[in-house]
């Protein structure tokens, strides 16, 4: 790792550097140099002097900085004198630049500053176009301007040659003053500068940019900075509507500015083509009541310190979203912060000590704690002490607001002082507010004997707080040095009753007072530091008196020589922009194993009092095991995916994605998912709040590993966010990560509840929703698009459940599966065995189409308006054997293409079906009016997954139904009815919650094959034969599970039913034309009902629950014709007096295949509101009021 430097400035303007390879702070060689602020970049550091000049320190390197000055000598030929410097009036200058527009005689070149020196004299470039020339460096042309060449021709009337002179930068390793611009008017005196932009996101390795702020609030940009021109050339003003107090530029394309009113500005449009950006966007301070004090930015992070010295982190910051999305409070109290390389964070603490934010990584940009920068000081090898370890650290705290000489004893808060306690270990402080991490343990000196506490009442002559009014170090320094020192008696010589009459000195404000008095953002307190120095001798004496909040005599500095040199600087500024460290760096002065630091949320006086307490709580080896910091944090996962842009031109776009999760100090988490893309060279982004996500579901898109992200709003608009990964593993990783965050935000843990709604998609994925009471309540019903669905591992075609926790499923190949109920439990060593291997096989079809003509008969030459000769079933998309792939990359072919004779409508011996035209109903025999024909080709593919499903051999099933019941019900055996793939009716015996798979199948006799069956409350069994006839099974009971006989039920007029579902007291069925029918007149005495009533159309399947609730899979959503068929819908307005309901509420859609609500017996309370007290009438777990939201959307 290369050696880099950390820069810092103390309150007297002295500049220090600390090398990553060293251990000691080094002061700048120029002892007269006084800087207010510094900003570092790679290989350089800029500073603002107390004289308002800009200074530059270039790091020494093996390669010298050289700049080539060049000018061109131009001549024209004339018949008398030949080539001379006498040119035509319209010609260029005799000495000019390469364009000829600007005169550049040799004597006009001067060194830009004293930091440069000439390496030699002017000489002629003897090459032409990079090739050696024998013409003395002359290039010839017909006229100005033209293409010059070294060859002289008969018509060459003009010539030129280049003169070169080099100058070298000689100020490397020293602080060099940047000269004022001439002749351009220089900017007003600058009060702040920031270096950045050398790692623009478009291209890395660029030279840095320099930004400045004048005392009048103007923003300036330094032009002309180049590797060979490190000083730059001129200043350019950047327009800003408000007065700026401070700004910060990141290594990339981020620039934030702090306004005098405490708000923040963000510069947008920064790029290589537009280094000054395009516009400003205002961002409010983290706390409206407290103004911002400092801002610091990195590559993709923004940190802010407010005037109460609280530290804040900006979420969601990215080059696509420079404004971010929200503020997170971070533990610690700091005077200022700076973001360096690798987004590492440095800070000047409230105690004027230097701190480093440890644990900052790309995945955790907020870090996890503060540690001191413990560099050695002076000529000895002692570590520079932490400011809290000094008797006085430059400010008094709330415990000493009343008087400098009389402080409130903190025994009442921290406990009594044990005078006998010897060398002990400092405990880890557990502050209630977000605080800084204490690290490791250390030995502390033996505390002195305890003495009487000083009075706690405020004194009448208490000093007034000192409020700095200017950031001028010179003014403050001169005022300090001109003041004559007044001899004062030693504190030990002053009687206690006379202590209160000592003259008081100005003191610093506490954070609370600073907020009240509106302290300017650029406060630098020299008097407080001066007072700290004058009390060093008195401090130990006071500690000998045993006071927990010591009394100080505040004097003045007697000399300006080596102020603070004994104990180390009192810091005011730090810059880590040139310090290349990261969370894994092994830096000696950043070792967490150093002295234990006190929480920065505690004041210095409280910290000193705490250190004098008995230290017997924790052994040293246990301290390191404690959590580092109880404060907010941010975790980020970044990656690259492909995004389906669903507007023209529709195509897949490579995008960057980031999942950002913030954790509050109380453990609450909030996550945002970002998608960053570029459109027409403009950086844009999309974001989704994780707590608004309703479903994450894999989808079928162009053989990609794709998944869709739905929110309530995107569900209403039928506009999901579709993303695709490069591999199955990447897709599963992102799905698991996003799903875990969704469940964590909603407080969902463990396996699905017994009341859950189960569903399957057309892709075979299994989705589940844990309902709340508001799902079926008659008033304030939760909108269907607000339902949160999560995925359960496995692959099924259809699924059925009941409220006792039994769940059965059927694969696409007819295999029966039963849910083991173990998914989602706490992991344990045996969990791997709880997930079983599950396979499924399905068929993929393509259709071969032909048209008849009189000359050749049936051929693949169709009319221009016909469908493709190889297509899907609808004929809208061309599908050949060669370009047809399995449904997703998870599937693999297990057979070859074969003709399918098992097609509805029948086929002839060659597999053809005939019709009069496309598209009409096809039949299996040819007639005189049939001019088109088709046949279906099929190929099988297989998928293998792992899930909590156990196979139930050996019969393949086509339909299954479990008897719904209320949650209070207790049944030794649960009736389960099913249909085999051949249409046989089966009854499963021995099914119970303890044995969900049952024991054996019981065959129920029929005279024809069936295609749908359902069992409802009170053992009502209804079924539909393959010819559409409806039957009711009589005399079914627990004692006679198979019943006695079938009763025929008339079908709706001129309709053929294909699917039905039976609830507690109602029966709904779906016909071949997707119409939904309701059976009227069902009574206990006449369970067959009386008549069918049409309810709705556009229905694929229906599920009726134990509370007679009705849910369907709709074929489409009204108003969205391009939506993929299959949407979850809820019937609203159902009740005892309105069993048919009133309207539909459309929910999640686009590829849903089947739904089962037969386990949801979470009966809503009778009243319109949830009961305030008492036990629930349903055993389902109570949901928080936050989950009861939304109104039904009636369509």
């Amino acid at each position: 790792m290369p050696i880099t430097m950390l820069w810092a400035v103390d309150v007297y303007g002295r500049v220090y550097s600390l090398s990553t390879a060293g251990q000691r702070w080094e002061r700048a060689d120029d002892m007269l140099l006084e800087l207010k602020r510094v900003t570092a970049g790679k290989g350089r550091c800029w500073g603002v002097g107390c004289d308002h000049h800009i200074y530059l320190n270039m790091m020494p390197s093996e390669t010298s900085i050289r700049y080539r000055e060049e000018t061109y000598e131009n001549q024209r030929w004339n018949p008398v004198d030949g080539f001379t410097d006498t040119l035509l009036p319209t010609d260029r200058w005799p000495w000019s630049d390469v364009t000829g527009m600007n005169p550049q005689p040799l004597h006009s070149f001067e060194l830009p500053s004293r930091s440069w020196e000439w390496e030699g004299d002017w000489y002629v470039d003897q090459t032409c176009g990079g090739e050696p020339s024998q013409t003395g460096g002359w290039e010839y042309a017909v006229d100005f301007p033209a293409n010059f060449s070294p060859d002289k021709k008969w018509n060459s009337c003009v010539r030129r040659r280049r003169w070169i002179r080099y100058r070298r930068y000689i100020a490397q390793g020293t602080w060099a003053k940047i000269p004022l611009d001439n002749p351009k008017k220089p900017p007003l005196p600058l009060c702040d500068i920031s270096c950045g932009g050398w790692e623009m996101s478009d291209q890395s390795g660029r030279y840095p940019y320099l930004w400045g702020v004048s005392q009048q609030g103007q923003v300036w940009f330094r032009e002309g900075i180049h590797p060979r021109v490190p000083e730059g050339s001129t200043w350019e003003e950047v327009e800003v509507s408000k007065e700026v107090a401070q700004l910060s530029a990141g290594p990339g394309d981020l620039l934030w500015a702090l306004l005098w009113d405490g708000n923040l500005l963000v510069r947008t449009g920064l790029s290589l083509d537009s280094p000054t950006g395009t516009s400003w966007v205002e961002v409010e301070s983290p706390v409206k009541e407290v103004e911002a004090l400092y801002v610091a930015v990195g590559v993709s992070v923004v940190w802010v310190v407010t005037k109460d010295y609280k530290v804040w982190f900006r979420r969601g910051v990215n080059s696509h979203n420079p404004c971010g999305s929200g503020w997170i409070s971070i533990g610690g109290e700091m005077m200022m912060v700076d973001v360096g390389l690798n987004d590492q964070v440095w800070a000047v603490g409230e105690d004027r000590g230097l701190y480093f934010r440890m644990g900052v990584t790309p995945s955790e940009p907020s870090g996890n704690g503060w540690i001191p920068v413990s560099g050695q000081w002076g000529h000895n090898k002692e570590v520079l002490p932490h400011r809290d370890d000094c008797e006085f650290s430059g400010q008094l705290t709330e415990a000493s607001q009343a008087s400098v000489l009389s402080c409130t004893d903190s025994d009442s808060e921290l406990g009594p002082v044990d005078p006998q306690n010897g060398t002990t270990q400092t405990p880890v402080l557990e502050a209630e507010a977000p605080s800084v991490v204490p690290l490791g343990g250390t030995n502390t000196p033996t505390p002195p004997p305890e003495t009487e506490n000083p009075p706690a009442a405020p004194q009448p002559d208490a000093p007034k707080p000192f409020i700095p009014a200017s950031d001028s170090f010179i003014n403050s320094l001169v005022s300090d040095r001109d003041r004559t020192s007044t001899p004062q008696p030693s504190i030990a010589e002053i009687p206690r009753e006379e202590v209160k009459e000592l003259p008081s000195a100005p003191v610093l404000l506490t954070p609370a007072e600073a907020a009240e008095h509106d302290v300017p953002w650029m406060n630098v307190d020299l008097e407080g530091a001066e007072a700290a120095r004058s009390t060093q001798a008195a401090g130990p004496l006071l500690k000998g008196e045993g006071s927990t909040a010591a009394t100080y005599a505040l004097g003045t500095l007697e000399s300006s020589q080596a102020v603070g040199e004994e104990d180390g600087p009192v810091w005011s500024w730090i810059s880590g922009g040139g310090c290349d460290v990261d969370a894994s760096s092994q830096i000696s002065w950043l070792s967490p194993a150093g002295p234990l630091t006190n929480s920065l949320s505690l004041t210095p006086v409280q910290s000193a009092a705490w250190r004098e307490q008995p230290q017997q709580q924790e052994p040293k080896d246990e301290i390191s095991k404690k959590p580092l910091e109880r404060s907010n944090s941010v975790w980020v996962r970044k990656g690259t995916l492909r995004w389906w842009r669903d507007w023209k031109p529709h195509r897949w776009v490579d995008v960057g994605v980031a999942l950002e999760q913030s954790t509050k100090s109380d453990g609450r988490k909030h996550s945002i998912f970002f998608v960053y893309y570029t459109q027409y060279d403009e950086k844009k982004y999309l974001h989704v709040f994780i707590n608004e996500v309703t479903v994450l579901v894999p989808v079928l898109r162009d053989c990609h590993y794709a998944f869709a992200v739905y929110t309530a709003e995107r569900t209403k608009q039928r506009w999901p966010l579709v993303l695709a990964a490069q591999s199955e593993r990447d897709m599963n990783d992102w799905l698991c990560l996003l799903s875990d965050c969704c469940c964590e935000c909603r407080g969902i843990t463990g396996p699905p509840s017994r009341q859950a709604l189960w569903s399957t998609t057309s892709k075979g994925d299994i989705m589940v929703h844990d309902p709340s009471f508001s799902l079926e309540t008659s008033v304030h019903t939760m909108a269907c698009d607000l339902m949160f669905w999560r995925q359960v591992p496995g692959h099924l075609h259809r699924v059925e459940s009941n409220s006792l926790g039994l769940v059965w499923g059927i694969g696409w190949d007819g295999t029966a599966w039963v849910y083991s109920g173990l998914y989602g439990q706490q992991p344990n060593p045996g969990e791997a065995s709880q997930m079983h291997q599950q396979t499924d096989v399905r068929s993929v079809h393509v259709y071969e189409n032909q048209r008849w003509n009189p000359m050749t008969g049936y051929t693949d030459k169709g009319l221009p308006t016909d469908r493709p000769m190889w297509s899907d079933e609808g004929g809208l998309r061309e599908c050949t054997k060669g370009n047809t792939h399995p449904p997703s990359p998870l599937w693999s072919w297990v057979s070859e293409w074969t003709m399918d004779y098992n097609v509805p409508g029948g086929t002839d011996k060659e597999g053809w079906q005939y019709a009069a035209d496309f598209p009409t109903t096809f039949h299996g025999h040819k007639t005189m009016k049939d001019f088109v024909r088709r046949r279906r080709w099929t190929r099988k593919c297989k998928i293998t997954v792992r899930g909590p499903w156990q196979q139930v051999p050996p019969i393949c099933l086509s339909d299954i139904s479990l008897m719904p019941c209320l949650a209070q019900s207790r049944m030794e055996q649960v009736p389960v009815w099913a249909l085999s793939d051949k249409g046989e009716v089966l009854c499963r015996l021995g099914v119970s919650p303890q044995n969900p798979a049952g024991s054996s199948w019981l065959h129920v006799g029929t005279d024809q094959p069936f295609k749908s069956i359902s069992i409802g409350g009170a053992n009502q069994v209804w079924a539909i034969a393959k010819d559409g006839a409806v039957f009711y099974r009589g005399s079914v009971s627990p004692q006679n599970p198979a019943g006695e006989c079938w009763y025929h039920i008339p079908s709706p007029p001129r309709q053929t039913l294909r699917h039905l579902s039976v609830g507690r007291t109602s029966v709904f069925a779906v016909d071949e034309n997707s119409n939904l029918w309701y059976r009227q007149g069902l009574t206990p005495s006449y369970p067959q009902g009386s008549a069918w009533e049409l309810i709705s159309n556009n229905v694929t399947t229906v599920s009726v629950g134990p509370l007679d609730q009705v849910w369907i899979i709709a074929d489409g959503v009204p108003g969205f014709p391009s939506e993929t068929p299959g949407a979850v819908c809820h019937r609203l307005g159902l009740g005892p007096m309105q069993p048919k309901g009133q309207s539909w509420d459309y929910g999640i859609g686009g590829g849903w295949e089947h739904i089962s609500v037969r386990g949801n017996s979470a009966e809503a309370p009778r009243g319109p509101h949830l009961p305030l007290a008492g036990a629930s009438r349903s055993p389902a777990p109570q949901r928080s009021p936050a989950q009861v939201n939304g109104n039904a959307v009636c369509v």
Side-chain angles (χ1 to χ4, degrees), residues 724-890:
Q726 296 295 326
S727 64
E728 176 188 357
R729 180 177 179 180
D730 290 343
M731 183 187 72
N732 291 334
D733 287 346
W734 277 106
L735 279 176
C736 291
L737 182 62
L738 293 172
S739 180
D740 290 344
C741 288
C742 290
C743 294
E744 196 170 25
C745 289
R746 297 174 179 268
I748 299 176
T749 58
S753 68
R754 294 185 174 185
Q755 317 295 323
L757 280 68
W758 292 75
S759 182
T760 58
T761 67
S762 56
K763 188 175 176 293
D765 296 301
I766 308 164
M767 312 302 295
V768 63
H769 168 73
D770 291 309
S772 62
F773 290 114
S774 62
L775 189 61
E776 301 295 345
T777 184
S778 57
V779 293
H780 305 297
T781 306
M782 186 177 77
C784 198
D785 49 40
L786 295 176
M787 299 170 59
F788 173 70
W789 296 86
R790 53 173 171 154
Q791 186 176 358
V792 174
H795 191 275
L796 295 173
H797 178 49
R798 60 187 302 120
V799 64
E800 286 290 332
S801 64
N802 79 344
S803 57
L804 297 181
L806 299 176
V807 183
W808 281 61
I810 302 176
W812 287 84
D813 57 358
T815 304
W817 302 87
V818 63
Y819 178 61
S820 63
L822 299 176
Y823 172 71
Q825 295 181 357
Q826 293 296 326
N828 55 70
E831 184 171 356
S833 61
Q834 298 169 3
M835 304 292 283
H836 309 281
Q837 180 172 306
Q838 184 180 9
T839 61
D840 201 358
V841 178
R842 64 184 301 180
S843 298
V844 177
H845 307 295
V846 297
Y847 286 82
E848 180 184 4
N849 307 301
Q850 291 186 354
R851 176 174 286 276
W852 182 86
N853 67 73
M855 302 296 297
T856 58
Y858 286 102
T859 65
D860 57 0
K861 305 296 183 182
L863 299 177
T865 57
D866 280 344
R867 61 180 61 185
M869 293 298 100
W870 288 88
S871 69
D872 58 358
E873 184 177 7
L876 301 178
R877 184 166 58 94
E878 183 178 11
C879 297
T880 65
K881 293 181 181 179
N883 66 10
T884 300
H885 304 281
S888 76
L890 302 178

Side-chain angles (χ1 to χ4, degrees), residues 256-476:
W256 281 55
L258 174 67
L259 299 176
W260 279 100
D261 61 7
N263 286 341
L264 299 144
L265 286 180
V266 182
R267 190 65 173 173
T268 61
L270 291 173
S271 64
L272 295 177
D273 298 330
S274 178
T276 58
T278 56
S279 61
W280 295 97
V281 178
E282 187 168 355
V283 177
E284 291 186 353
S285 174
V287 182
K288 292 184 178 180
E289 298 79 10
V290 183
E291 300 174 0
L293 186 65
Y294 288 105
V295 62
V297 304
V299 176
S300 58
V301 297
V302 175
W303 293 72
V304 164
V305 175
T306 51
K307 285 191 175 180
D308 57 358
Y309 304 136
K310 301 300 182 184
V311 184
W312 299 82
F313 177 85
R314 186 70 173 176
R315 297 186 56 190
V317 175
N318 186 278
S319 60
H320 295 255
N321 179 25
C323 297
S325 57
W327 295 104
I328 297 296
S329 177
I330 302 295
E333 295 181 359
M334 299 294 172
M335 300 288 292
M336 63 83 61
V337 293
D338 182 75
V339 180
L341 299 178
N342 307 316
D343 284 342
Q344 302 300 308
V345 184
W346 310 83
V348 177
E350 187 187 12
D351 59 349
R352 296 291 185 178
L354 299 183
Y355 293 90
F356 173 73
R357 187 74 177 174
M358 66 177 181
V360 174
T361 62
S363 61
E364 192 172 355
S366 63
N368 52 34
W370 298 100
I371 59 175
V373 178
S374 53
Q376 295 178 4
W377 175 248
H379 299 287
N380 55 25
K381 295 185 178 181
E382 294 181 359
V383 176
L384 183 65
H386 182 253
R387 303 310 307 178
D388 274 353
D389 294 337
C390 300
E391 286 74 13
F392 183 74
S393 59
Q395 73 173 23
L396 297 183
T397 59
E398 295 180 3
S400 56
Q401 290 181 14
S403 173
V404 182
L405 303 176
S406 179
C407 302
T408 303
D409 183 45
S410 56
D411 282 11
S412 59
E413 298 179 4
L414 303 176
V417 176
D418 183 4
Q420 303 299 328
N421 185 20
T423 300
T424 57
Q425 294 156 359
T426 305
V428 175
L429 302 184
E430 295 290 344
E432 293 182 1
S435 60
V436 180
V437 173
L439 297 172
T442 184
N443 295 332
T444 59
T446 304
E450 181 182 0
T451 62
E452 183 180 353
N453 297 327
Q459 301 301 317
D461 56 349
K464 296 182 180 179
F466 171 74
I467 301 178
S470 172
D471 67 330
S472 173
F473 281 80
I474 291 295
N475 294 340
S476 300

Side-chain angles (χ1 to χ4, degrees), residues 1081-1160:
L1082 268 69
T1083 63
S1085 59
Y1086 192 67
Q1088 297 90 342
S1090 58
W1092 293 99
E1093 180 180 355
L1094 180 64
I1095 301 299
S1096 175
N1097 57 3
N1098 190 38
V1099 178
T1100 301
T1101 61
V1102 62
S1103 179
V1104 183
L1107 305 178
D1108 286 335
Q1109 64 267 44
V1110 178
W1111 293 69
I1112 65 168
I1113 299 296
D1115 191 44
V1117 180
F1120 298 92
S1122 61
E1123 173 78 358
T1124 304
V1128 175
C1129 291
H1130 181 203
R1131 188 66 174 175
L1132 302 179
L1134 290 166
M1137 305 303 297
Q1138 188 68 27
K1140 299 175 291 185
Q1142 298 176 347
S1143 60
W1144 293 109
D1145 177 19
Y1146 287 84
I1148 191 70
W1152 247 244
E1153 183 79 15
H1154 180 79
I1155 189 171
S1156 174
V1157 299
R1158 298 171 68 80
N1160 182 20

Side-chain angles (χ1 to χ4, degrees), residues 471-679:
D471 67 330
S472 173
F473 281 80
I474 291 295
N475 294 340
S476 300
L477 200 58
V478 169
S479 64
D480 289 343
R481 296 175 182 177
D482 291 344
R483 186 184 304 129
T484 58
S485 60
T486 303
Q488 295 183 359
S490 172
I491 293 296
E493 301 173 2
I494 303 175
R496 181 169 300 278
E497 58 271 11
E498 296 178 5
V499 168
K500 62 182 179 181
E501 301 192 12
L502 283 174
S504 57
V507 297
L508 280 175
L509 289 176
T510 61
E513 289 176 327
E516 295 176 1
H517 290 82
D518 192 20
V519 180
W521 62 273
M522 46 176 63
N523 56 2
V524 176
D525 180 22
L526 300 185
E527 297 186 16
E530 173 188 346
R533 306 304 174 199
S534 64
T535 57
Q536 288 175 352
L541 296 177
L542 292 174
K543 293 184 69 175
E545 296 286 327
S547 174
T548 56
T551 303
Y552 302 94
L554 304 181
T556 58
L557 295 174
E558 298 182 359
S559 172
S560 61
Q561 300 280 338
V563 177
E565 293 286 347
E566 300 83 4
D567 295 332
V570 179
W571 301 110
S572 67
W573 197 265
I574 188 172
S575 178
C579 189
D580 190 6
V581 300
D582 54 34
S584 60
S585 299
Q586 301 296 327
I587 307 297
S588 60
W589 39 268
L590 287 181
S591 174
L596 180 67
T597 62
N598 294 302
S599 171
L600 293 185
S601 63
L602 298 177
T603 58
V605 174
Q606 290 172 330
S607 298
W610 181 271
R611 283 196 299 272
E612 295 176 4
Q613 288 191 109
Q615 314 288 322
Q616 301 176 358
Q617 286 84 354
E618 309 231 3
K620 182 176 181 178
D621 57 345
E622 295 182 4
I623 292 178
S624 60
K625 299 179 182 179
K626 299 198 63 162
L628 291 179
E629 182 176 293
R630 297 194 305 164
S631 66
N632 302 335
S633 62
V634 176
W635 175 88
V636 178
R637 162 74 185 274
K638 297 180 180 180
T640 57
L641 295 174
R642 305 197 75 192
W643 165 55
W644 176 252
R645 190 174 65 186
D646 46 4
W647 63 77
K648 294 183 179 180
H650 300 275
R651 63 186 181 90
W652 289 100
V653 180
D654 293 329
V655 296
V657 296
L659 175 63
E660 183 181 274
Q661 182 181 78
S662 64
T663 304
K664 302 291 184 181
S665 56
D666 57 2
R668 292 182 295 111
K669 297 183 178 181
H670 183 261
S671 303
I672 308 178
F673 183 64
F674 293 93
V675 177
Y676 303 109
Y677 66 99
T678 303
Q679 182 179 10

Side-chain angles (χ1 to χ4, degrees), residues 661-718:
Q661 182 181 78
S662 64
T663 304
K664 302 291 184 181
S665 56
D666 57 2
R668 292 182 295 111
K669 297 183 178 181
H670 183 261
S671 303
I672 308 178
F673 183 64
F674 293 93
V675 177
Y676 303 109
Y677 66 99
T678 303
Q679 182 179 10
Y680 304 120
D681 296 330
E682 182 180 358
K683 296 177 180 179
K684 297 184 178 182
Y685 74 99
L686 303 171
H687 72 278
V688 177
F689 293 102
I690 292 298
N691 59 358
E692 296 179 359
V693 172
T694 55
V695 67
L696 299 158
V697 56
V699 294
L700 303 176
R701 287 293 180 92
D702 303 332
C703 297
H704 284 79
Y705 296 95
F707 62 94
V709 181
Y710 283 87
T711 62
E713 189 62 30
R714 289 182 175 272
T715 299
K716 292 177 183 178
Q717 299 176 1
R718 306 294 152 182

Side-chain angles (χ1 to χ4, degrees), residues 4 88 186 286 305 449 601 716 799 861 882 933 961 974 1007 1031 1148:
T4 54
L88 299 178
V305 175
S601 63
K716 292 177 183 178
V799 64
K861 305 296 183 182
R933 69 178 182 179
S961 178
V974 179
D1007 55 357
F1031 292 90
I1148 191 70

